[in-house]
Amino acid sequence: MDLQTILSKYPPQPQYLIEMLIDVDDATEQHYVSEDELRTIAAYVGVRDSQVYSVMSFYTMLSTTPRGKYVIQVCKDVPCYLNDDFNVLKTIQDELAIGIGDTTPDQLFSLELTACIGCCDEAPAMRVNHETYTNLSDEKVRSILESYRSGLL
Amino acid sequence: MIHCRINNIDVVAEEGTTILEAARKFNINIPTLCHYPDLHINSDCRICVVEIDGWRGLKTSCSTPIKDGMVIKTNSPKVLNARKTITELILSNHDANCTACVRNMSCELQGLAKLLGIDENRFENVLERRPLDLLNPSLARNPNRCIKCGRCVDVCASVQGMHVLERMGRGHNMDIAPAFFQPLDDTFCTFCGQCANVCPVGAITERDNTDQVWTKLHDPTKHVLVQIAPAVRVSIGEEVGYKKGLISNGKLVSAMKHLGFNHVYDTNFTADLTIMEEGTELIHRIQTGGVLPLMTSCCPGWINMAEQEYPEVLPHISSCKSPQQMFGALAKTYYADKIGMDPDDIFVVSVMPCTAKKYEATREEFKADGRNSDVDVVITTRELGKMFRQMGIDFDKIEEQDFDNPFGITTGAAALFGATGGVTEAALRTVYEIVNNKPLEDIVFKDVRGLKGIKEATVELGGQPIKVAVSHSLANARELMEDVVAGTSPYTFIEIMACPGGCIGGGGQPYGTDNKMREERIESTYIVDGNMVYRKSHDNPSIQALYKEYLEKPNSHLAHELLHTTYAARNL
């Protein structure tokens, strides 16, 4: 879906900003909002670029730089931490051979941290694009990654 | 009325009063950091926390209204410990190299650390250094010193309507920056410097040019002139800790001579000249059906905004250069000729209440002699204060001297330029007498004075009532621009100043300017006006002589060449 089609779904008002940004982010395999798109969106809803950038930089689900096809976000908040989310993180880093904030050379995966995603009762948790995975163990993480790699998910 | 107890003192205050306000009314001092008079309360820093009996946790006194029967402690061990810890945490993420900072001894964070008795920090410094923004001639941003209080964000958004600076990111990774972390140079920033004026630390400051001035002052091959803006004389006293209010011109001139300037001139002279040129332009436009409303052009922050955001209003803006640039142009041409000196050897320094003036002086078109900048260096009121301190000037003891000539005789009208409404009042004093060909009975135009955001007045010119408007702060300018862009503006003349209060509230004025200080400086401005022999620009004998001897008449060919300019839309 191109930018104009997305914008035309919403009235030109700042309260629809986040919905628009998520749609734009989803509309590309690179999961990001480009500088030009950001400026167009700001002008459309009648706020400054700085205000849109401020909103985008606050929410981990949004990005202003290109990311992989699958954006993995590991929860970094306390309940997940207490349930050893660092092991989850380490497994992913080892499996994909990338660090936090990086994208694999084949542009398939990006690895990021996120604030609480509301799965504290089943910590540790992570999100891949819009899908949430909980009660993570080493094996579970590996099999999830494998499913994405092989195109099953 | 609400009754409560703060630190065992019975406090009575109106409903809606915050704990902080109520406490201050009763001389109970609660320290604050992000709080700033005239700006929004955002409770970002948590320094002002207090303990309230029966309430869970500590509460921020800046944002909690008093309630009947409240029992409040502002300095219990729990409160003091919290304040100290917060301050230590802020310091642990701060470039606290205090002696190498422009805010040393005027820094609010440093003052707080002293007040709370922080002799050493329990927390290790975890600052991750970020690059400085030194890419524009006006403002320097050092994110390593930023404590994220949000004052600059608020002043930029709510007072100026600009939103150049915003909060980026979240939690301890939050930064204050323009969109895309661009340098200010690549944004809509007008360089008004209000952010620098309200910053409690050294995170946003003017670009310091005092070293350049010292170098030239000590260069025997250079003839160094200085011009001083009307708004500086009503605030420099605060900056040097001499006294609030006005420093006499005599002492100021003398102090500047002590710094080593060859000649000390008054920007008020070219303010008078601006009135002659702009007044003539206004009369011409009214009489020939030219583009109206005519808008003032003295304020470089406003010019930046117009060129960047309102290209359609550019034909409305007076073609007059600002008084600073008129002075520079005359210095490098008329004056150079008069004293028989090569303009290459004349170095012109301006002292301005303004950071945008630094940018204005660097504009390519301001080279009247074809090669040198008309104004070589601009320093702010604060930088002048720094030079006075470096030189150890004692204002109590210093003798009085007159401004040098030919740019020394000025009028009360010119002095008004420093205050919002001043350019309008000065212009009306002259335009009224020229058009109506009779003396003005009351030269005071009360309607255009004061801190109201947009002011209006009506004046009879040639039997026609004309309406004028005055705005200060860029958010108010935007309001007026809507009508001008739509072609429905009811005004004939509009004065626009970027800073609240006009130049007396400029971004280069002493730190921590609030409305109370603005009012005091405006009052001083009117005292200067009242004390002058001449009160109207066209009565200035030096101005009359300049036209007779050199410029011929206002808006003459030569005047256009030297004193007028053009504007161009700038795309970002």
Side-chain angles (χ1 to χ4, degrees):
Chain A
M1 212 174 359
D2 75 338
L3 181 59
Q4 287 310 323
T5 317
I6 293 170
L7 295 187
S8 65
K9 283 168 41 191
Y10 299 98
Q13 288 160 13
Q15 61 262 43
Y16 300 102
L17 183 59
I18 292 176
E19 282 91 334
M20 290 177 200
L21 292 170
I22 292 172
D23 281 2
V24 175
D25 197 283
D26 280 345
T28 145
E29 280 208 346
Q30 291 175 298
H31 293 287
Y32 84 116
V33 180
S34 72
E35 196 171 318
D36 281 349
E37 286 167 336
L38 188 153
R39 291 186 196 281
T40 307
I41 295 166
Y44 181 71
V45 300
V47 300
R48 294 287 192 153
D49 301 346
S50 58
Q51 293 170 283
V52 178
Y53 195 87
S54 178
V55 168
M56 286 203 60
S57 61
F58 186 85
Y59 293 106
T60 46
M61 68 243 279
L62 297 167
S63 173
T64 50
T65 49
R67 298 186 279 187
K69 185 177 178 186
Y70 303 112
V71 180
I72 304 167
Q73 295 188 320
V74 179
C75 177
K76 67 173 169 62
D77 275 328
V78 176
C80 285
Y81 178 81
L82 292 173
N83 284 286
D84 297 347
D85 64 355
F86 42 88
N87 286 341
V88 173
L89 207 54
K90 190 171 180 308
T91 307
I92 301 172
Q93 283 175 319
D94 290 348
E95 277 289 311
L96 302 178
I98 56 172
I100 298 163
D102 295 340
T103 299
T104 52
D106 60 3
Q107 315 295 317
L108 201 57
F109 295 104
S110 288
L111 177 58
E112 297 176 355
L113 297 175
T114 180
C116 182
I117 50 176
C119 303
C120 310
D121 57 330
E122 295 176 33
M126 70 176 191
R127 184 168 57 199
V128 180
N129 294 352
H130 291 296
E131 208 58 49
T132 311
Y133 299 92
T134 59
N135 290 322
L136 296 172
S137 61
D138 277 4
E139 299 86 79
K140 197 164 172 186
V141 167
R142 282 200 193 90
S143 89
I144 293 166
L145 292 178
E146 192 43 45
S147 313
Y148 279 101
R149 269 202 198 105
S150 58
L152 292 175
L153 278 169
Chain B
M1 296 302 264
I2 308 285
H3 296 256
C4 63
R5 277 177 81 74
I6 307 181
N7 299 353
N8 296 322
I9 296 169
D10 287 317
V11 166
V12 188
E14 272 174 47
E15 195 173 345
T17 308
T18 63
I19 296 174
L20 179 67
E21 289 163 342
R24 286 189 174 169
K25 225 172 112 189
F26 284 78
N27 296 320
I28 300 162
N29 186 35
I30 302 173
T32 55
L33 189 55
C34 68
H35 186 263
Y36 193 86
D38 321 322
L39 291 181
H40 291 107
I41 291 164
N42 55 28
S43 313
D44 269 356
C45 75
R46 325 302 290 180
I47 289 295
C48 70
V49 287
V50 294
E51 205 174 344
I52 306 170
D53 273 11
W55 288 44
R56 194 170 156 249
L58 300 172
K59 296 289 161 202
T60 47
S61 61
C62 66
S63 60
T64 312
I66 50 167
K67 292 206 165 67
D68 253 329
M70 250 185 191
V71 178
I72 300 154
K73 287 190 203 80
T74 72
N75 53 9
S76 66
K78 193 173 166 187
V79 166
L80 292 180
N81 184 46
R83 259 182 218 149
K84 198 169 169 179
T85 306
I86 294 163
T87 308
E88 283 175 303
L89 285 168
I90 295 172
L91 283 165
S92 75
N93 196 19
H94 176 73
D95 176 11
N97 188 3
C98 295
T99 52
C101 176
V102 59
R103 295 304 298 271
N104 190 21
M105 310 289 276
S106 74
C107 171
E108 294 179 41
L109 179 62
Q110 192 187 37
L112 190 65
K114 171 85 181 157
L115 186 81
L116 297 172
I118 298 173
D119 301 329
E120 60 184 305
N121 197 339
R122 285 173 290 169
F123 306 111
E124 180 191 340
N125 195 293
V126 295
L127 176 72
E128 285 172 27
R129 289 197 173 263
R130 290 160 172 77
L132 313 189
D133 178 3
L134 302 173
L135 292 178
N136 71 81
S138 291
L139 295 165
R141 251 175 33 83
N142 182 344
N144 305 312
R145 293 188 185 138
C146 177
I147 57 167
K148 285 97 174 173
C149 69
R151 288 181 187 177
C152 55
V153 174
D154 193 19
V155 84
C156 192
S158 64
V159 177
Q160 299 298 56
M162 295 303 298
H163 296 278
V164 169
L165 294 171
E166 280 288 344
R167 292 175 178 83
M168 303 303 175
R170 66 194 296 167
H172 72 274
N173 288 323
M174 195 261 274
D175 263 321
I176 286 174
F180 311 104
F181 287 86
Q182 281 173 320
L184 288 173
D185 215 16
D186 293 345
T187 70
F188 283 103
C189 178
T190 64
F191 304 131
C192 75
Q194 286 300 310
C195 51
N197 196 282
V198 299
C199 182
V201 293
I204 311 181
T205 63
E206 68 274 19
R207 295 294 302 275
D208 190 309
N209 296 110
T210 53
D211 280 349
Q212 268 167 283
V213 179
W214 283 124
T215 306
K216 297 297 174 191
L217 287 173
H218 295 135
D219 181 346
T221 67
K222 294 287 175 202
H223 184 75
V224 188
L225 311 180
V226 66
Q227 57 165 322
I228 183 156
V232 175
R233 67 205 71 186
V234 299
S235 65
I236 184 73
E238 302 163 32
E239 182 61 34
V240 296
Y242 167 60
K243 61 169 189 187
K244 271 197 177 171
L246 193 62
I247 282 193
S248 73
N249 284 349
K251 278 183 186 276
L252 192 54
V253 172
S254 192
M256 309 281 270
K257 287 273 171 78
H258 277 282
L259 297 183
F261 289 106
N262 296 89
H263 288 292
V264 179
Y265 294 119
D266 199 342
T267 310
N268 290 17
F269 179 83
T270 39
D272 278 330
L273 197 58
T274 300
I275 291 302
M276 299 308 292
E277 293 294 324
E278 198 165 297
T280 306
E281 187 183 3
L282 175 64
I283 294 167
H284 182 76
R285 289 199 191 195
I286 293 174
Q287 290 172 346
T288 62
V291 181
L292 291 171
L294 176 69
M295 296 194 277
T296 57
S297 57
C298 314
C299 171
W302 150 238
I303 296 297
N304 285 341
M305 183 199 209
E307 288 190 329
Q308 289 169 166
E309 296 191 58
Y310 294 100
E312 55 276 65
V313 310
L314 295 178
H316 288 268
I317 299 177
S318 165
S319 62
C320 289
K321 289 181 186 172
S322 69
Q324 156 171 292
Q325 293 306 139
M326 283 194 186
F327 180 92
L330 286 177
K332 297 270 168 99
T333 55
Y334 164 74
Y335 175 83
D337 277 353
K338 205 176 164 87
I339 63 165
M341 214 164 185
D342 186 343
D344 290 358
D345 296 327
I346 297 177
F347 194 81
V348 177
V349 177
S350 303
V351 186
M352 294 284 142
C354 180
T355 46
K357 286 282 173 197
K358 287 176 185 273
Y359 166 80
E360 185 188 62
T362 65
R363 290 178 70 127
E364 276 303 312
E365 64 270 31
F366 293 145
K367 289 180 178 164
D369 69 354
R371 55 183 189 278
N372 293 298
S373 286
D374 293 335
V375 173
D376 293 283
V377 168
V378 179
I379 60 169
T380 59
T381 310
R382 297 191 291 262
E383 289 165 274
L384 179 65
K386 177 181 172 185
M387 292 182 76
F388 284 154
R389 286 190 291 273
Q390 286 173 314
M391 202 65 181
I393 305 276
D394 181 349
F395 277 92
D396 275 325
K397 300 216 175 85
I398 209 155
E399 72 283 15
E400 307 247 345
Q401 284 185 51
D402 286 335
F403 276 111
D404 291 310
N405 278 317
F407 310 126
I409 297 178
T410 64
T411 71
L416 298 179
F417 271 57
T420 165
V423 177
T424 304
E425 186 165 346
L428 290 178
R429 287 181 188 178
T430 288
V431 170
Y432 182 93
E433 296 203 347
I434 291 175
V435 174
N436 296 341
N437 204 13
K438 63 174 182 187
L440 190 58
E441 274 166 34
D442 183 5
I443 64 164
V444 171
F445 289 84
K446 278 219 164 59
D447 292 346
V448 297
R449 295 187 171 191
L451 285 180
K452 193 171 157 235
I454 295 175
K455 295 165 282 186
E456 283 184 352
T458 306
V459 191
E460 288 276 321
L461 283 186
Q464 293 287 324
I466 68 144
K467 283 182 87 176
V468 301
V470 172
S471 80
H472 56 118
S473 95
L474 289 171
N476 289 322
R478 272 184 209 284
E479 220 177 297
L480 288 175
M481 281 320 104
E482 276 177 32
D483 282 351
V484 176
V485 170
T488 56
S489 177
Y491 306 111
T492 303
F493 180 82
I494 299 179
E495 171 194 314
I496 296 178
M497 295 295 157
C499 290
C503 310
I504 54 93
Q509 292 282 47
Y511 290 117
T513 300
D514 61 16
N515 278 340
K516 196 168 152 280
M517 286 154 87
R518 288 188 187 101
E519 274 162 9
E520 287 166 1
R521 292 177 197 160
I522 288 173
E523 207 185 305
S524 302
T525 302
Y526 293 129
I527 294 171
V528 178
D529 171 35
N531 288 341
M532 298 300 277
V533 178
Y534 306 106
R535 306 279 299 275
K536 303 161 194 160
S537 300
H538 57 290
D539 289 346
N540 183 335
S542 291
I543 291 284
Q544 292 166 356
L546 178 67
Y547 279 114
K548 212 171 152 193
E549 184 188 318
Y550 190 65
L551 293 171
E552 198 190 329
K553 61 179 200 307
N555 294 11
S556 70
H557 181 74
L558 184 59
H560 260 285
E561 209 166 277
L562 291 179
L563 310 178
H564 291 252
T565 185
T566 53
Y567 310 100
R570 276 186 270 159
N571 283 327
L572 285 165

